[in-house]
Amino acid sequence: MAKTKTTFFCQNCGAQYAKWQGQCNSCKEWNTIAEEVIQKAEKVSWKASEGTSKRVAKPQRISEISTQAEARLNTKNNELNRVLGGGLVPGSLTLLGGEPGIGKSTLMLQIALQLPYKTLYVSGEESAQQIKMRAERIQPISENCFILTETKTQNIFRNIEEIEPDIVVIDSIQTLHTDYIESTAGSISQIRETTAELIKFAKETATPVILIGHITKDGNIAGPKILEHMVDTVLQFEGDRNHIYRILRANKNRFGSTNELGIYEMQGSGLREVSNPSEILISKNDEDLSGTAISATLEGMRPLMIEIQALVSSAVYGTPQRSATGYNAKRLNMILAVLEKRAGFKLGAKDVFLNVTGGITVDDPAIDLAVVAAVLSSNIDIAIDKRLCFAAEVGLAGEVRPVTRVEQRILEAEKLGFTSIVISKYCKIPKQNFHINIIKVAKVHDVVHHLFG
């Protein structure tokens, strides 16, 4: 029998040490290093009937390797397909992380019920009755979805041999354990070993596997960093539980772009795909209100129209307040200094509050001009035309600077019915017939003159 081997791992970052020590050299945390068994018994293949894989890889000339596109499996969810790059790739491992209660299990169960393929949903956190109750609330019950409540990988693989599913969903990877490692579920070595077994299964059978992962209080996926290196795709499910909208991003994708994002709306019947996010980010009111401006921004590859709200009022206390929600507060201070120095607006003794509607955070510099317009509109209490939007960066000299992919922004504004868009004079746009009035400005003064005469 093989000798049992142990080593020491940091439970915070996964660093490995030959002996115990008080502080981790990698993450500088104290008392996080614990001893774990790394080898207990001889390993066998994931498939009980085969000890080793029969396929032996051989070297190929790079010119002889086929470059045909992978046949992807359609998830019947357009937002997830967009983020994945077109669907699930056979034999791929996808890791989905997010805050507790954000909707990870709901999203995966909803997709498992929609899929026309035979799907095995393995849960180590909920009973079969709990999953059935949620499934009845979400969607009509599917004959292709199988539920298994199990945490031991050897038992999971036995069921996989019997059912032969087309897709496997694991909820969650931190609850799995294997007989080959003698440590608690969720430990560094168990996560690494169970993931390695699932990778071997996925690659040998060309079955896509989706793993749901926990995150730490810092927002990183719990467990060793090697977990993210081992899988093919890492998805992050973001959002505030106080808001109904959720954003799905790809932090890593070996089969597509990481610039795409999907947007969902949390409802009682599950997650609804939001095909036109600009509608939810722009308020629907008929009154002309001062202090609001629309900006054409980009989230990854996706153009969005967002509403910027500003409130400027006389400071009650000696020190004026500067507050920004969804926008960088330091950048707001910079823009206010530019308006005071370059445009002559006396804002030093006034409170300024800024809000990006919809509960999202934006770091695109293209919304600078919309921030300027909203602040000035609130300051002089004159409303801006609702059919006008902005897409430009503001420099320290008061100049209006060009932004990237301005053509996409113009087309999105045109599609949503805006009549005019304000951009930088120095933007290079292709000569084509836009059905929207393009207003080019060079300095903040030009914007003030155009908006308020």
Side-chain angles (χ1 to χ4, degrees):
M1 186 174 177
K3 183 180 177 182
T4 300
K5 295 180 181 178
T6 63
T7 190
F8 294 85
F9 289 101
C10 171
Q11 302 299 307
N12 184 56
C13 69
Q16 184 175 348
Y17 297 92
K19 61 180 181 179
W20 185 88
Q21 60 188 53
Q23 185 186 34
C24 174
N25 296 335
S26 180
C27 65
K28 305 302 180 186
E29 291 289 327
W30 288 90
N31 298 322
T32 57
I33 296 174
E35 185 178 17
E36 292 184 12
V37 176
I38 59 170
Q39 184 177 335
K40 181 186 175 186
E42 290 294 330
K43 297 180 186 177
V44 296
S45 169
W46 67 269
K47 198 169 183 179
S49 59
E50 293 181 10
T52 58
S53 174
K54 294 179 180 178
R55 188 180 63 183
V56 179
K58 293 182 179 180
Q60 291 177 273
R61 287 190 180 91
I62 192 167
S63 58
E64 297 173 353
I65 298 173
S66 173
T67 55
Q68 291 180 352
E70 289 279 356
R72 294 176 183 258
L73 300 178
N74 185 2
T75 64
K76 301 296 181 182
N77 188 293
N78 294 330
E79 298 296 299
L80 180 61
N81 283 344
R82 176 190 287 111
V83 176
L84 289 172
L88 284 169
V89 175
S92 65
L93 237 78
T94 302
L95 175 63
L96 174 66
E99 291 277 348
I102 206 72
K104 303 183 297 296
S105 300
T106 302
L107 176 63
M108 286 299 104
L109 181 59
Q110 190 171 322
I111 287 165
L113 292 169
Q114 288 175 346
L115 286 170
Y117 316 106
K118 191 185 290 186
T119 308
L120 178 63
Y121 186 97
V122 182
S123 177
E125 298 181 340
E126 297 175 294
S127 66
Q129 289 76 18
Q130 285 177 293
I131 298 170
K132 175 72 181 292
M133 287 168 61
R134 183 192 291 153
E136 288 176 339
R137 190 184 80 239
I138 292 174
Q139 192 146 341
I141 301 303
S142 168
E143 294 297 322
N144 292 320
C145 183
F146 294 80
I147 305 297
L148 173 65
T149 54
E150 181 60 69
T151 58
K152 187 174 172 182
T153 56
Q154 283 72 29
N155 294 341
I156 292 170
F157 288 134
R158 283 195 197 97
N159 284 282
I160 285 173
E161 277 192 76
E162 292 177 14
I163 298 173
E164 296 183 349
D166 298 313
I167 296 174
V168 177
V169 179
I170 305 290
D171 182 13
S172 66
I173 186 62
Q174 277 82 9
T175 62
L176 296 192
H177 67 94
T178 176
D179 282 342
Y180 305 135
I181 298 290
E182 197 175 89
S183 60
T184 57
S187 63
I188 302 292
S189 51
Q190 281 286 9
I191 291 173
R192 188 176 56 225
E193 185 61 34
T194 52
T195 305
E197 290 181 17
L198 288 166
I199 288 175
K200 185 176 176 64
F201 156 71
K203 301 304 179 188
E204 289 185 2
T205 62
T207 305
V209 178
I210 302 174
L211 310 176
I212 296 176
H214 299 165
I215 65 166
T216 63
K217 62 182 180 181
D218 299 325
N220 301 316
I221 292 176
K225 197 70 178 175
I226 194 173
L227 173 61
E228 295 178 53
H229 290 292
M230 293 168 78
V231 300
D232 298 306
T233 307
V234 179
L235 304 180
Q236 193 79 13
F237 207 33
E238 303 171 358
D240 187 346
R241 282 190 289 177
N242 298 322
H243 291 86
I244 60 174
Y245 300 111
R246 306 284 188 265
I247 293 177
L248 183 67
R249 300 179 190 271
N251 293 340
K252 169 190 175 182
N253 191 354
R254 287 176 179 160
F255 308 111
S257 170
T258 56
N259 292 326
E260 292 288 1
L261 82 159
I263 300 179
Y264 295 89
E265 181 184 359
M266 177 62 85
Q267 298 179 337
S269 58
L271 289 154
R272 182 184 74 86
E273 299 174 56
V274 178
S275 57
N276 185 9
S278 299
E279 289 183 359
I280 64 174
L281 299 173
I282 299 175
S283 60
K284 306 288 188 300
N285 48 26
D286 298 328
E287 300 177 17
D288 289 331
L289 302 173
S290 64
T292 63
I294 309 297
S295 176
T297 183
L298 288 173
E299 273 287 339
M301 299 292 290
R302 195 171 191 178
L304 304 176
M305 306 301 289
I306 60 171
E307 183 177 333
I308 309 293
Q309 295 179 328
L311 177 63
V312 180
S313 62
S314 298
V316 179
Y317 306 103
T319 305
Q321 299 182 68
R322 302 282 189 262
S323 175
T325 304
Y327 186 69
N328 191 324
K330 290 182 178 178
R331 194 161 187 87
L332 173 62
N333 288 332
M334 183 202 80
I335 287 175
L336 294 177
V338 169
L339 288 176
E340 185 139 352
K341 178 80 173 178
R342 306 294 182 186
F345 287 89
K346 304 300 180 186
L347 301 170
K350 295 188 176 181
D351 293 336
V352 180
F353 304 94
L354 194 79
N355 178 45
V356 178
T357 59
I360 66 170
T361 300
V362 184
D363 56 3
D364 184 4
I367 71 171
D368 286 356
L369 199 59
V371 171
V372 167
V375 168
L376 295 181
S377 170
S378 178
N379 184 48
I380 61 179
D381 202 21
I382 296 177
I384 298 171
D385 186 355
K386 289 180 181 178
R387 297 167 299 171
L388 178 69
C389 61
F390 304 84
E393 183 182 353
V394 174
L396 290 176
E399 79 277 19
V400 178
R401 302 172 62 86
V403 290
T404 58
R405 305 217 303 275
V406 70
E407 185 185 353
Q408 277 183 270
R409 302 172 197 265
I410 294 171
L411 289 171
E412 180 72 7
E414 184 182 299
K415 186 176 77 174
L416 294 175
F418 287 88
T419 57
S420 304
I421 183 169
V422 183
I423 63 172
S424 171
K425 177 184 177 181
Y426 308 105
C427 278
K428 295 179 181 178
I429 53 176
K431 292 180 179 178
Q432 64 176 17
N433 295 324
F434 291 108
H435 301 292
I436 185 172
N437 181 28
I438 299 173
I439 303 164
K440 295 187 176 183
V441 294
K443 288 192 171 292
V444 173
H445 274 297
D446 301 337
V447 181
V448 177
H449 177 74
H450 181 81
L451 293 178
F452 312 111

